[in-house]
Amino acid sequence: MKHKVTVVGLGLGSEDGLTLGALKALRQAPSVVLRTEIHGLVPFLKAQGIEYTSMDDIYQNCEDFDRVYEAMVKRVMDMSQKGEVAVGVPGHPLIGERLTFELLRRLDRERYDIDIIPGISGADALLALIQQAGIEGLKILSAPEMTEDLINVRLATVVINMYDALVASEVKLLLLRFYPHNLEVFVSWQTQDKGLEYRAVPLYQLDRQQHYDHTTCLYLPPVKFERLESFDMNHLKQIMEILRSPEGCPWDREQTHETLKRYLIEEAYEVIESIDKQDEDKLLEELGDVLLQVVFHSQIARERGAFDIFDVITGICQKMIQRHTHIFGDAVAENAQQVVANWEDLKRHEKGFATHTQVLRDIPSILPALIRSYKVQEKAALVGFDWESVEGAMQKLEEELTELKEIYRGGDEQKIREEIGDLLFAAVNVARFLKVDPELALKNTIEKFITRFEYIEKNARRPLQEMTLEEMDKLWNQAKKLFLK
């Protein structure tokens, strides 16, 4: 025989807000326990002759909320062993009520029957009071559990459980990340006569009110992106849709995947440059430009019915989960090397590669040659095709230089080109052993060359064309001492 637990919503605290179903459940239950006796409905329950116990003592005896609710669940389980128990909770049992959540999570349904009797929540009462229908959608959040990820400015939102000024301040700081600071919001609270009052205030004054208790709620209207100072991914998608629409921007409408290729490359290099310069403001801007390119291409594909930005996001999320089986699965990776090995194995399996040559050919040929050669060597090394140490790689570099010296005297341009390629490939191999990115190393060398050359030009006493190499070399050596990097 199953044990019976009925969770009853007590409403906001007035008997007018108690449903007939809730009253019936409280009257008929052999045993009634309230999560808290600090509730406006308690005098009415006493007047109705409904006997109850409360769990307020648990709040006093436990150190944190996790232990509080663990103890509450245990008490309900113990009481249910003696017969049906009705658990009274404020408001609606399924709106911001953690005890209901814990009971549903912890009680085995093969041993317990759980019924839920709805009640009027603070969110319901506030919406009725300010006469907001929320027809486009409504989001209800609990103040103590609020995070940035849960906020959606496109939906009407009610925040419940804003029980003191500290919580209100934390909520305000979260909301100001997304909403205009002067947005008119509504704050409601229950009065001493069990009625409900509200006040319209600007958002930045949310934590400066006089009334905060377990009945305090906040209403936030939906906000169009034209009023916003902070945006999310959906806003960027919406802006791109507008720009690509018939009434949008003529330039944006004309673009294709092909015409945008150069911009994606340029923006990626500008990100790298901002990193090199350690310019975080510029990095923020350039990452936004790269993101714009992703959304731009996704919108073009969406118009063809191929895919959209949500498919792109889903694809990369799936890939990250599938490729990190040591985090989201049963695989083991104790260091970065094992992570890379697992990643490559999963990638080969996903793409159906039968040979390692297919792995090498999968590296995009459009990559800059230094980057591609580095990646090809990395992949080849995974199956053991590699030098045992950097000394072997350096010896190969010297051999290639010797061969180039021998070949160039013959004047065979094709062979010279091949030997220079071999020399560069060998140099990349040395860089790989030394864990140096050859592309970035060469980029730094180019910048260093330009800086030293600038010094020569600024300090030359006559035009460079009229100077001897020895004179310029003297200034070059001075520049080397001045600019060590």
Side-chain angles (χ1 to χ4, degrees), residues 85-105:
V85 57
V87 183
V89 297
H92 192 297
L94 297 177
I95 298 180
E97 179 52 58
R98 182 172 171 182
L99 178 56
T100 309
F101 169 79
E102 296 292 345
L103 289 169
L104 292 172
R105 185 171 71 92

Side-chain angles (χ1 to χ4, degrees), residues 235-433:
H235 291 122
L236 181 56
K237 171 181 171 290
Q238 184 180 356
I239 291 169
M240 182 52 63
E241 288 173 357
I242 294 172
L243 294 176
R244 289 279 297 179
S245 70
E247 298 77 25
C249 172
W251 187 89
D252 290 293
R253 290 201 310 267
E254 291 178 358
Q255 301 313 304
T256 66
H257 291 307
E258 292 296 324
T259 63
L260 289 174
K261 286 194 300 186
R262 55 171 286 205
Y263 300 108
L264 182 56
I265 294 172
E266 290 172 4
E267 301 300 353
Y269 276 113
E270 288 179 7
V271 167
I272 294 172
E273 183 178 53
S274 63
I275 294 172
D276 291 343
K277 292 182 177 180
Q278 298 182 347
D279 187 338
E280 293 189 348
D281 291 336
K282 188 67 173 174
L283 177 59
L284 184 154
E285 177 186 348
E286 298 304 338
L287 287 173
D289 290 341
V290 171
L291 180 59
L292 173 63
Q293 291 301 310
V294 175
V295 174
F296 211 146
H297 281 281
S298 299
Q299 177 60 25
I300 293 172
R302 178 174 178 265
E303 292 163 7
R304 300 196 322 269
F307 60 83
D308 62 18
I309 187 62
F310 299 113
D311 294 317
V312 174
I313 294 171
T314 296
I316 191 59
C317 287
Q318 289 176 340
K319 179 186 289 187
M320 296 305 289
I321 292 170
Q322 292 164 2
R323 299 274 180 90
H324 288 82
T325 51
H326 57 291
I327 302 296
F328 303 107
D330 300 327
V332 176
E334 297 179 354
N335 53 53
Q337 290 74 23
Q338 288 181 340
V339 171
V340 172
N342 289 348
W343 180 284
E344 293 298 331
D345 287 341
L346 290 165
K347 186 176 180 180
R348 282 195 296 271
H349 179 73
E350 289 172 9
K351 297 195 173 186
F353 291 155
T355 68
H356 206 70
T357 301
Q358 289 175 295
V359 175
L360 301 184
R361 293 196 184 282
D362 188 54
I363 299 171
S365 59
I366 198 172
L367 286 174
L370 288 178
I371 296 176
R372 189 181 181 213
S373 60
Y374 192 100
K375 293 178 75 69
V376 165
Q377 292 170 10
E378 276 188 321
K379 304 294 186 185
L382 292 174
V383 293
F385 192 75
D386 201 7
W387 301 105
E388 292 184 359
S389 66
V390 68
E391 284 74 21
M394 286 185 172
Q395 184 177 348
K396 182 64 175 175
L397 179 62
E398 293 171 356
E399 290 176 6
E400 296 298 348
L401 179 59
T402 300
E403 291 180 11
L404 176 60
K405 290 178 180 178
E406 294 173 353
I407 290 295
Y408 95 92
R409 295 187 180 92
D412 188 326
E413 292 184 3
Q414 177 62 30
K415 288 185 177 180
I416 291 173
R417 187 180 299 111
E418 290 178 7
E419 292 301 331
I420 288 179
D422 291 345
L423 179 65
L424 292 172
F425 195 81
V428 170
N429 224 346
V430 172
R432 182 175 59 86
F433 266 98

Side-chain angles (χ1 to χ4, degrees), residues 22 106 137 145 201-202 237 254 356 435 442 453 457 471 473:
R106 293 171 182 263
E145 286 79 34
V201 299
K237 171 181 171 290
E254 291 178 358
H356 206 70
K435 302 186 184 307
L442 182 57
F453 189 88
E457 191 166 31
E471 289 174 324
D473 193 50

Side-chain angles (χ1 to χ4, degrees), residues 70-139:
E70 184 178 343
M72 286 183 175
V73 171
K74 184 178 184 305
R75 181 169 297 183
V76 171
M77 292 173 65
D78 291 343
M79 293 177 68
S80 69
Q81 307 302 310
K82 303 174 183 178
E84 179 182 350
V85 57
V87 183
V89 297
H92 192 297
L94 297 177
I95 298 180
E97 179 52 58
R98 182 172 171 182
L99 178 56
T100 309
F101 169 79
E102 296 292 345
L103 289 169
L104 292 172
R105 185 171 71 92
R106 293 171 182 263
L107 298 189
D108 184 353
R109 300 307 177 86
E110 293 186 358
R111 297 177 54 206
Y112 292 88
D113 274 334
I114 304 177
D115 283 345
I116 305 290
I117 308 296
I120 296 176
S121 70
D124 299 318
L126 175 55
L127 290 172
L129 189 64
I130 63 176
Q131 299 183 3
Q132 294 293 325
I135 191 170
E136 300 88 357
L138 176 67
K139 197 174 186 72

Side-chain angles (χ1 to χ4, degrees), residues 47-70:
Q48 293 294 310
I50 298 174
E51 296 183 359
Y52 64 87
T53 60
S54 84
M55 294 190 275
D56 286 318
D57 60 299
I58 294 177
Y59 287 105
Q60 301 170 2
N61 297 327
C62 293
E63 298 177 357
D64 55 58
F65 281 115
D66 288 337
R67 294 184 181 180
V68 163
Y69 289 105
E70 184 178 343

